[in-house]
């Protein structure tokens, strides 16, 4: 039997449903915040229950005596000027990385089309194959650099920056997977003048 609690924010109530009491009590504060963000569209928030700030992110709701029918008060965190500036720098860095991804995307598409055209040739030379091997290695290296850059970005509790970083990682990884797939095709193409070792 499903149970629910109410989130109160800015004079409004937002009901949150859970499959049962056990799921409700085992949900962590962090998970509840993520649910609140999805339901309300508000980021950078804090929660309190029975007048107590819920600050232990990984603690279960049971720790705060949350039961079916309870209400939780949600408030938006006020950012300091320093926090705002730090997040702006992170987002600018992520925007710069996005530009790199946008530059590499058409190159990957061109690489795919070029390999497809090469694969259709009745006679294929090792010289052309080598060009495609080098292009694949170049694109892989560039995309790995992008992923390394993203890996070095620490977003902390900055939800917007964290979501942007997640999107960039997904985009770059998809491109890298595509390049690896094309490289595998190139590797197995038979040529008329394969050099002997």
């Amino acid at each position: 039997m499903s149970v629910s609690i109410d989130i109160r924010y800015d004079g409004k109530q937002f009901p949150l449903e859970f499959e049962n009491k056990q799921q409700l009590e085992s949900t962590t504060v962090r998970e509840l915040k993520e649910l609140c963000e999805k339901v309300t569209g508000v980021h950078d928030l804090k929660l309190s229950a029975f007048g107590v700030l819920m600050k232990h992110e990984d603690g279960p709701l049971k720790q705060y005596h949350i039961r079916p029918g309870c209400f939780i008060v949600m408030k938006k965190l006020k950012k300091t000027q320093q926090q705002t500036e730090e997040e702006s720098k992170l987002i600018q860095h992520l925007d710069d990385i996005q530009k790199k991804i946008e530059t590499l995307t058409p190159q990957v598409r061109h690489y795919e089309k070029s390999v497809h055209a090469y694969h259709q040739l009745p006679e294929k030379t090792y010289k052309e194959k080598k060009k495609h091997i080098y292009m694949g290695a170049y694109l892989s290296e560039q995309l790995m650099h992008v992923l390394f850059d993203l890996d070095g970005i620490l977003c902390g509790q900055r939800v917007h920056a964290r979501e942007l970083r997640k999107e960039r990682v997904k985009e770059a990884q998809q491109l890298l997977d595509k390049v690896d797939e094309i490289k595998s095709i190139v590797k197995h193409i038979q040529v008329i003048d394969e050099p002997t070792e």
Side-chain angles (χ1 to χ4, degrees):
M1 182 178 177
S2 65
V3 297
S4 65
I5 58 174
D6 284 331
I7 303 299
R8 297 184 181 179
Y9 172 71
D10 198 24
K12 299 175 184 176
Q13 286 195 187
F14 301 88
L16 290 180
E17 286 200 3
F18 298 83
E19 289 182 5
N20 49 50
K21 183 181 177 183
Q22 184 180 4
Q23 186 194 41
L24 167 64
E25 291 181 339
S26 63
T27 298
T28 64
V29 172
R30 188 190 308 278
E31 290 168 341
L32 181 61
K33 283 185 176 181
E34 290 174 355
L35 286 172
C36 290
E37 288 169 1
K38 288 178 182 177
V39 171
T40 65
V42 177
H43 301 292
D44 300 314
L45 51 90
K46 61 180 178 179
L47 303 172
S48 59
F50 309 111
V52 177
L53 181 65
M54 302 167 71
K55 56 185 178 181
H56 301 294
E57 296 277 312
D58 297 317
L61 298 187
K62 184 178 182 179
Q63 179 179 325
Y64 292 94
H65 309 291
I66 304 300
R67 303 179 301 277
C70 283
F71 70 86
I72 292 175
V73 177
M74 184 182 107
K75 292 183 180 179
K76 186 170 177 63
L77 283 171
K78 293 180 180 178
K79 294 183 182 179
T80 64
Q81 185 176 355
Q82 183 182 358
Q83 287 173 324
T84 303
E85 288 175 357
E86 286 174 355
E87 184 163 19
S88 294
K89 287 179 181 178
L90 278 175
I91 291 172
Q92 181 59 54
H93 191 181
L94 287 163
D95 285 344
D96 291 342
I97 291 175
Q98 177 62 16
K99 289 174 184 175
K100 290 182 184 178
I101 294 173
E102 288 173 355
T103 300
L104 288 167
T105 299
Q107 293 182 42
V108 172
R109 288 178 186 152
H110 181 267
Y111 179 50
E112 183 177 26
K113 289 179 181 178
S114 179
V115 168
H116 178 73
Y118 172 64
H119 197 251
Q120 299 303 311
L121 293 174
E123 292 188 349
K124 308 167 190 68
T125 64
Y126 180 71
K127 182 179 178 181
E128 285 300 315
K129 179 177 179 177
K130 201 171 181 180
K131 285 182 182 178
H132 288 101
I133 291 172
Y134 285 154
M135 177 54 73
Y138 166 76
L139 290 172
S140 289
E141 184 181 3
Q142 294 302 306
L143 287 164
M144 285 300 297
H145 282 315
V146 168
L147 287 168
F148 284 144
D149 283 346
L150 288 165
D151 193 47
I153 296 177
L154 302 176
C155 298
Q157 297 301 312
R158 301 174 185 89
V159 178
H160 181 50
R162 195 166 67 227
E163 287 300 314
L164 284 176
R165 180 186 173 279
K166 186 177 178 181
E167 289 173 13
R168 304 293 178 265
V169 169
K170 184 179 178 182
E171 290 172 19
Q173 189 61 57
Q174 285 176 340
L175 285 174
L176 183 58
D177 290 344
K178 173 57 71 176
V179 171
D180 286 343
E181 180 185 322
I182 301 166
K183 283 166 64 180
S184 179
I185 293 171
V186 173
K187 182 180 178 182
H188 293 94
I189 289 177
Q190 297 295 317
V191 297
I192 59 173
D193 55 347
E194 188 83 47
T196 56
E197 304 212 0

